[in-house]
């Protein structure tokens, strides 16, 4: 309405200017100045303010109001509003559960940005925990950190973070499994910097070679890993390999680390291609293909139609274990499986209550297995039943890839993806002592009640209260072990910048949505805005699906569709 008023005012002032007596130059000049001010104001509003920052600010104010700021790092609650409004893409979508969680997860993410003498790093826990490495970092969720943080407008935070892992973290880079090359490629696709690629490629090669030495038995193509070093304690596959006895850790040939190594090999091959290093490109393309074939031949359980686990020192006589765990979807995170219905049938289990479907979130073990359990005894972190945001993030990214990049995806749909993302968003809650429902992210969640299991256990761990040895007060509060914002930006709303500078746009929004907007996305120096306004009534800049680059309309369609915007 304000824009319409301004435009009407402009036409009115122009009319007056034309009719003003030439001798009345003073009034004419004043009117001309007023005309220019209105014109600039109108232009600014139509180009820069489709999403009301005050609404975003209200989310942030509410998160601050409900927060007890126990642990401060680089960006405090006092500074968070300015930081987020300056650095994160803004979204406006009909589903306010997803929208609120999106801003909440950025609000928690910035808490983990830590300024050190080695540059910026991202932490997993806010309090110091004894198993962390330099600067309280843990590389287990670092792939999620990089995928998430790549969307920050200032690339320095993640550029420093990748540099830290490759140059300054010592053995921390291989403390846990970590898809560092793949995540680096994802970052470079948003903020490409060839000087960094030149600098980091030798370090990525060195890291890969060390994994080959440490985690691969020479007679086998596939890698092995302790389930705990995948970040997963007390797994059901580990129990099976331990003759049915529950145990903290077991080594095995797992879909996780082999998918990570496949993804890293593909990424290294791509970096080598960019830098015109054909021998490295060919070598790592071949490594990736060998892993792919071995994963499909050795880890695919034909009886269960699922990727499962082999013993560490497997031979021709071994068969994959008869247990479905959510890690069986990780190969799709890296687009590893062939596009065949034989593999696609695995996806029906995300909707099956005998599989992984539960009221609050996906379980990490299939519910029908006799070893499935939700336990409030023993170790506080168990991967034998609860829902873990770390695994949910991997599964949702894998599902988006399966729907977008495969023709044989009849078992699942965009609707299924949206419903699982919405379920994940709604799980970010806790009821406080006043009976108020507040935004929350922690470690493992009861998939039937929504209780944060580890928190419930730890707050009475030692003499009825928190244990310093376990990480002290509210160890898991604002836990940075998963992703969410990247799932919204890259998959739900469909922005997929490519390493060649082009941008694929493939929205996965419900058919019922008549509008959405994502704005202030900075990719390779370009400002990107994506607008869907079916009837032209929400944003009043036109009807249809519109892509803007640097405020210029470059693509438009009357209906939602996939677009590719070439390098500019």
């Amino acid at each position: 309405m304000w824009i319409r008023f301004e435009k009407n005012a402009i036409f009115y002032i122009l009319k007056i200017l034309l009719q003003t007596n030439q001798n009345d130059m003073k009034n004419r000049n004043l009117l001309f100045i007023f005309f220019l001010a209105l014109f600039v104001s109108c232009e600014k509003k139509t180009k820069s303010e489709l999403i009301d920052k005050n609404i975003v600010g209200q989310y942030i104010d509410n998160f601050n109001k409900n927060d007890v700021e126990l642990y401060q790092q680089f960006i405090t609650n006092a500074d968070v509003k300015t930081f987020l409004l300056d650095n994160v893409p803004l979204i406006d979508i009909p589903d306010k559960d997803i929208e609120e969680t999106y801003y909440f997860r950025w609000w928690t993410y910035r808490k983990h940005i830590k300024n050190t003498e080695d540059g910026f790093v991202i932490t997993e826990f806010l309090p110091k925990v004894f198993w962390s490495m330099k600067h309280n970092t843990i590389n287990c969720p670092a792939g999620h950190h990089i995928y998430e943080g790549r969307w920050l407008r200032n690339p320095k935070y993640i550029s420093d973070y990748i540099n830290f892992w490759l140059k300054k973290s010592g053995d921390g880079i291989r403390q846990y499994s970590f898809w560092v090359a793949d995540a680096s490629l994802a970052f470079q696709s948003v903020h490409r910097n060839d000087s960094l690629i030149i600098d980091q490629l030798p370090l990525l090669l060195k890291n890969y070679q060390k994994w080959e030495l440490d985690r691969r038995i020479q007679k086998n193509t596939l890698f092995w890993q302790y389930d705990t070093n995948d970040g997963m304690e007390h797994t059901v596959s580990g129990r099976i390999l331990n003759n049915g006895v529950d145990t903290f850790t077991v080594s095995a040939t797992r879909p996780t680390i082999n998918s990570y190594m496949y993804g890293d090999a593909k990424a290294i091959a791509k970096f080598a291609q960019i830098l015109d290093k054909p021998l490295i490109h060919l070598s790592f393309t071949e490594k990736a293909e060998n892993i792919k074939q071995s994963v499909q031949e050795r880890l695919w359980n034909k009886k269960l139609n699922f990727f499962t686990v082999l013993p560490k020192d497997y031979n021709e006589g071994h068969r994959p274990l008869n247990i479905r765990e959510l890690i069986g979807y990780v190969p799709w995170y890296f687009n590893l499986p062939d596009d065949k219905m034989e593999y696609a049938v695995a996806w029906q289990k995300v909707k099956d209550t005998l599989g992984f479907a539960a009221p609050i979130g996906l379980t990490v073990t299939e519910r029908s297995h006799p070893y499935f359990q939700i336990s409030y005894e023993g170790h506080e972190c168990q991967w034998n039943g609860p829902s873990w945001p770390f695994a949910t993030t991997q599964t949702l990214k894998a599902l988006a890839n399966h729907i977008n990049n495969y023709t044989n995806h009849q078992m699942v749909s965009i609707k299924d993806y949206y419903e699982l993302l919405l379920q994940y968003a709604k799980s970010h809650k806790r009821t406080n002592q006043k009976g108020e429902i507040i935004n929350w992210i922690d470690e493992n969640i009861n998939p039937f009640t929504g209780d944060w299991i580890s928190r419930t256990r730890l707050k009475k761990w030692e003499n009825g209260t928190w244990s310093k040895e376990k990480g002290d007060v509210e160890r898991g509060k604002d836990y940075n072990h998963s992703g969410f914002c990247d799932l919204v930006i890259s998959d739900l709303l469909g922005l997929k910048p490519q390493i060649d500078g082009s941008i694929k746009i493939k929205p996965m929004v419900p058919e019922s949505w008549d509008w959405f907007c994502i704005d202030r996305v900075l990719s390779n120096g370009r400002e990107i805005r994506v607008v869907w306004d079916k009837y032209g009534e929400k944003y009043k800049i036109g009807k249809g699906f519109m892509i803007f680059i640097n405020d210029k309309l470059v693509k438009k369609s009357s209906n939602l569709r996939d677009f590719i915007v070439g390098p500019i």
Side-chain angles (χ1 to χ4, degrees), residues 70-118:
L70 296 171
Y71 308 100
Q72 292 185 347
Q73 297 199 130
F74 182 63
I75 302 158
T76 67
N77 283 3
D79 300 322
V80 63
K81 186 184 291 187
T82 299
F83 175 81
L84 293 185
L85 290 176
D86 286 347
N87 276 283
V88 307
L90 303 183
I91 68 167
D92 181 31
I93 62 176
D95 193 303
K96 297 308 173 184
D97 289 307
I98 294 177
E99 182 176 288
E100 180 180 53
T101 303
Y102 172 86
Y103 288 116
F104 175 66
R105 288 300 300 264
W106 278 126
W107 180 86
T108 61
Y109 186 94
R110 58 80 203 182
K111 287 192 175 202
H112 292 271
I113 299 174
K114 186 174 184 177
N115 196 12
T116 76
E117 64 268 24
D118 294 320

Side-chain angles (χ1 to χ4, degrees), residues 419-473:
E419 289 177 350
L420 286 171
L421 181 67
L422 178 59
Q423 181 189 56
Y424 181 32
K426 288 181 175 181
S427 72
H428 285 69
K429 301 290 183 183
R430 182 177 74 82
T431 303
N432 65 17
Q433 291 180 332
K434 299 178 183 179
E436 302 166 329
I437 297 175
I438 60 174
N439 303 90
W440 197 265
I441 181 65
D442 215 297
E443 297 181 63
N444 48 348
I445 192 168
N446 187 318
F448 304 109
T449 68
D451 176 53
W452 295 98
I453 298 170
S454 179
R455 182 180 186 274
T456 296
R457 302 287 316 288
L458 289 172
K459 68 182 180 180
K460 296 182 179 180
W461 192 269
E462 188 175 290
N463 299 320
T465 189
W466 304 92
S467 165
K468 286 190 177 182
E469 183 182 349
K470 285 284 188 179
D472 214 347
V473 179

Side-chain angles (χ1 to χ4, degrees), residues 204-245:
L204 292 170
L205 290 169
K206 181 180 177 182
N207 179 62
Y208 198 98
Q209 289 159 0
K210 286 192 174 182
W211 277 116
E212 289 181 313
L213 289 172
D214 293 345
R215 286 293 186 268
R216 195 178 67 183
I217 298 170
Q218 287 305 110
K219 65 175 182 171
N220 294 328
T221 301
L222 296 176
F223 294 79
W224 64 271
Q225 181 61 291
Y226 297 101
D227 45 12
T228 48
N229 289 55
D230 270 344
M232 303 172 187
E233 308 91 339
H234 294 276
T235 63
V236 170
S237 55
R239 181 174 176 179
I240 292 171
L241 288 170
N242 197 42
N243 300 314
V245 179

Side-chain angles (χ1 to χ4, degrees), residues 151-325:
W151 298 106
L152 292 171
R153 291 170 63 84
N154 186 345
K156 180 171 175 56
Y157 302 108
I158 300 304
S159 176
D160 277 7
Y161 188 48
I162 295 170
N163 247 5
F164 165 76
W165 286 120
L166 293 173
K167 294 182 177 181
K168 303 171 184 179
S169 65
D171 292 335
I173 192 172
R174 286 177 301 282
Q175 181 188 14
Y176 292 87
S177 307
F178 173 21
W179 54 106
V180 61
D182 170 83
S184 297
L185 179 61
F187 169 73
Q188 289 285 347
S189 296
V190 179
H191 297 290
R192 181 164 169 175
N193 184 333
D194 283 11
S195 65
L196 281 179
I197 298 174
I198 292 168
D199 182 49
Q200 292 173 353
L201 179 59
L203 302 171
L204 292 170
L205 290 169
K206 181 180 177 182
N207 179 62
Y208 198 98
Q209 289 159 0
K210 286 192 174 182
W211 277 116
E212 289 181 313
L213 289 172
D214 293 345
R215 286 293 186 268
R216 195 178 67 183
I217 298 170
Q218 287 305 110
K219 65 175 182 171
N220 294 328
T221 301
L222 296 176
F223 294 79
W224 64 271
Q225 181 61 291
Y226 297 101
D227 45 12
T228 48
N229 289 55
D230 270 344
M232 303 172 187
E233 308 91 339
H234 294 276
T235 63
V236 170
S237 55
R239 181 174 176 179
I240 292 171
L241 288 170
N242 197 42
N243 300 314
V245 179
D246 182 36
T247 186
F248 182 72
T249 184
V250 169
S251 58
T253 304
R254 297 166 53 79
T256 40
I257 188 170
N258 284 288
S259 298
Y260 303 167
M261 298 308 293
Y262 169 82
D264 273 11
K266 294 284 285 186
I268 289 170
K270 175 56 72 173
F271 285 143
Q273 184 180 44
I274 289 169
L275 300 181
D276 193 24
K277 295 183 180 294
L279 293 180
I280 296 175
H281 171 72
L282 182 63
S283 172
F284 277 82
T285 299
E286 186 176 322
K287 287 177 187 288
E289 184 61 25
N290 288 339
I291 294 172
K292 172 190 176 80
Q293 295 307 320
S294 292
V295 166
Q296 293 184 147
E297 291 170 7
R298 298 312 314 267
L299 298 187
W300 181 252
N301 186 313
K302 294 181 180 180
K303 178 181 177 182
L304 298 185
N305 291 320
F306 214 77
F307 290 109
T308 70
V309 170
L310 273 175
K312 171 185 172 181
D313 191 9
Y314 66 91
N315 57 45
E316 287 302 317
H318 285 108
R319 294 291 177 267
L321 300 187
N322 288 323
I323 173 64
R324 296 183 186 92
E325 297 170 296

